[in-house]
């Protein structure tokens, strides 16, 4: 299913005409920032497929497990002074022909596969309970089981000092490794923590906080089978992906997820038939609206207002009816509390509107 404009004109499905391969190299990534001034790494037409590499900036937590030749090049060849003002390795940007400010990019995430079978979770200095742990930071390395779609901890170690430098490479082969989470497995749900369009600004924007451009939303539901809608702010959109995860809970309370590199397949469709003020997520079951703020009250207000907008403008409910429905049928949750700008998400069951505001896709997107 897919959104339609408020007047109800359903668009025709866009069949992909081409598939593009975008590797993460020192020439095709930007580390720590979004900017409208970055030269596009790729130019595509609406409906094209993109197979892109998303590399975690935490690969150095266990380089003997999480590095390969391509990842090592990023860590050794990109000037550390250019890794600012944020921390995430972003692949792109992708220029979409015909995209103008005010349009929407519909990004259908089709596949997300781990690049290797290892990931890292850091209990970080920006974590919610950092002071409660005597201001100590700890790394836990996980191994993925791709057949069972689960992850289990291999070992943990205390990080010496403060984890401040993006792309830190630790000397883990000689670190004090300790057992971690014995007998426990967690479900793997690969997703992108950070993705979005370039903001219309004069200076680079950090990848750390989320915003209306997307950015570091850290919602684990942004994985294969979901669709995100991002409002274009500059010509071409300039869409980038990064901060790949293989599992995370709502809140991301320690400061990170299981950070692990992913190979992603997605389709980008240019939408000129509707608009939405904030990053909008569509899953097979739900619409999910995101709100951001300096505190959770502000984020809650933003999510509430934009869900009201969705129900009123796109589903045709009166504002009174929409407000009532939100109270009895919408679920609010804390997306994350560790990215400076905090996040709230609110989801509502799409099945409440079986004949209104949605159309059935005519078929499954196929790879040419």
């Amino acid at each position: 299913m897919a959104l339609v404009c408020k007047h109800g004109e359903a668009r025709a499905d866009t069949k992909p005409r081409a598939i593009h391969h975008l590797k993460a190299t020192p020439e095709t990534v930007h580390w720590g920032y979004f900017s409208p001034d970055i030269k596009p790494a790729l130019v595509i037409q609406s409906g094209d497929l993109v197979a892109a590499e998303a590399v975690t900036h935490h690969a150095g937590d266990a380089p003997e497990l999480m590095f390969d030749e391509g990842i090592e090049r990023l860590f050794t060849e990109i000037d550390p002074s250019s890794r600012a003002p944020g921390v995430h390795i972003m692949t792109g940007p992708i220029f979409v022909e015909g995209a103008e400010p005010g349009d929407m990019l519909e990004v259908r995430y089709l596949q997300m596969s781990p690049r290797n079978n290892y990931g890292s979770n850091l209990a970080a200095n920006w974590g919610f309970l950092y002071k409660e742990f005597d201001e100590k930071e700890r790394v836990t390395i996980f191994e993925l089981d791709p057949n069972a779609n689960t992850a289990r901890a291999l070992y943990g170690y205390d990080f010496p000092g403060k984890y401040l430098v993006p792309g830190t490479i630790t000397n883990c082969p000689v670190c004090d490794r300790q057992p971690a989470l014995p007998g426990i497995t967690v479900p793997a749900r690969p997703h992108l923590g950070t993705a979005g369009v370039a903001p219309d600004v004069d200076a680079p924007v950090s990848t750390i906080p989320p915003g209306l451009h997307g950015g570091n939303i850290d919602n684990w539901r942004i994985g294969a089978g979901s669709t995100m809608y991002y409002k274009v702010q500059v010509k071409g959109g300039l869409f980038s992906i990064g901060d790949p995860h293989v599992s995370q809970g709502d809140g991301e309370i320690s400061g990170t997820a299981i950070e692990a590199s992913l190979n992603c397949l997605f389709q980008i469709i240019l939408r000129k038939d509707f608009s939405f003020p904030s990053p909008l997520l569509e899953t097979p079951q739900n619409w999910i609206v995101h709100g951001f703020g300096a505190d959770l009250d502000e984020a809650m207000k933003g999510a509430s207002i934009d869900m009201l907008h969705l129900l009123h403008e796109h589903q045709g409910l009166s504002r009174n009816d929409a407000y009532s429905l939100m109270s009895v049928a919408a679920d609010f949750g804390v997306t994350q509390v560790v990215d400076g700008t905090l996040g709230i998400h609110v989801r509502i069951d799409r099945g409440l509107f079986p004949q209104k505001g949605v159309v059935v896709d005519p078929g499954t997107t196929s790879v040419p």
Side-chain angles (χ1 to χ4, degrees):
M1 295 183 177
L3 279 170
V4 298
C5 66
K6 66 179 180 180
H7 300 297
E9 306 98 331
R11 65 171 175 82
D13 190 53
T14 302
K15 293 184 177 180
R17 294 175 295 179
I19 181 169
H20 306 268
H21 295 271
L22 182 57
K23 291 185 174 296
T25 70
E27 296 74 35
T28 62
V29 305
H30 44 108
W31 196 319
Y33 61 96
F34 291 92
S35 171
D37 298 325
I38 306 171
K39 180 181 178 181
L42 179 66
V43 177
I44 69 168
Q45 300 289 326
S46 175
D48 286 355
L49 294 167
V50 180
E53 297 176 346
V55 174
T56 177
H57 56 295
H58 280 278
D61 294 348
E64 74 282 8
L65 299 177
M66 298 174 66
F67 269 12
D68 55 32
E69 182 178 353
I71 293 175
E72 186 172 12
R73 282 193 64 202
L74 302 181
F75 280 69
T76 57
E77 294 183 22
I78 296 178
D79 185 351
S81 67
S82 70
R83 306 171 188 178
V87 297
H88 307 99
I89 303 170
M90 305 301 298
T91 305
I94 299 168
F95 185 100
V96 182
E97 292 280 10
E100 299 289 345
D103 295 341
M104 302 294 293
L105 292 188
E106 174 183 334
V107 183
R108 297 179 177 183
Y109 293 111
L110 303 174
Q111 296 175 7
M112 294 191 186
S113 304
R115 180 165 174 156
N116 54 56
N117 289 326
Y118 300 94
S120 169
N121 170 251
L122 172 67
N125 60 79
W126 58 90
F128 194 67
L129 298 179
Y130 176 57
K131 291 184 178 179
E132 281 75 6
F133 282 84
D134 299 323
E135 299 190 355
K136 286 199 322 183
E137 296 181 271
R138 184 173 178 82
V139 174
T140 304
I141 299 301
F142 286 81
E143 181 178 22
L144 312 179
D145 182 340
N147 295 319
N149 203 34
T150 58
R152 67 177 183 88
L154 284 180
Y155 58 86
Y157 64 91
D158 292 336
F159 184 82
K162 267 195 174 182
Y163 199 110
L164 297 174
V165 179
T168 292
I169 301 177
T170 62
N171 196 18
C172 199
V174 296
C175 67
D176 181 18
R177 298 182 179 183
Q178 302 162 16
L181 294 170
I184 293 176
T185 60
V186 297
R189 38 198 191 197
H191 62 279
L192 293 175
T194 306
V197 297
D200 185 14
V201 293
D202 295 329
V205 170
S206 171
T207 58
I208 294 174
L212 298 183
H213 65 293
N216 193 21
I217 295 175
D218 278 331
N219 188 335
W220 63 262
R221 300 159 186 87
I222 306 176
S226 71
T227 298
M228 280 291 292
Y229 299 88
Y230 305 92
K231 191 169 186 176
V232 174
Q233 299 190 25
V234 300
K235 187 178 180 65
L238 297 179
F239 177 74
S240 301
I241 66 169
D243 190 25
H245 301 162
V246 294
S247 197
Q248 181 201 301
D250 285 336
E252 201 185 19
I253 191 168
S254 83
T256 67
I258 299 181
E259 315 278 331
S261 301
L262 296 175
N263 295 324
C264 305
L265 178 67
F266 50 91
Q267 183 185 27
I268 300 180
I269 298 169
L270 177 60
R271 300 292 300 271
K272 293 178 177 287
D273 59 338
F274 86 102
S275 181
F276 199 76
S278 57
L280 174 63
L281 173 59
E282 185 180 19
T283 73
Q285 291 79 35
N286 300 303
W287 284 309
I288 301 176
V289 172
H290 298 92
F292 313 114
D295 56 38
L296 290 178
D297 286 343
E298 183 181 349
M300 182 79 173
K301 177 64 72 71
S304 302
I305 293 296
D306 285 358
M307 178 56 82
L308 187 68
H309 175 91
L310 177 73
L311 297 176
H312 178 57
E313 296 294 334
H314 294 277
Q315 294 304 315
L317 299 183
S318 70
R319 286 173 57 84
N320 287 333
D321 284 350
Y323 191 30
S324 177
L325 184 65
M326 287 166 58
S327 192
V328 302
D331 294 318
F332 289 79
V334 177
T335 322
Q336 54 75 27
V337 292
V338 294
D339 294 335
T341 300
L342 308 187
I344 290 283
H345 60 269
V346 52
R347 59 183 179 179
I348 195 160
D349 187 347
R350 290 171 49 198
L352 296 175
F353 312 96
Q355 304 297 328
K356 206 172 194 179
V358 296
V359 293
V360 178
D361 280 344
T364 302
T365 300
S366 60
V367 180

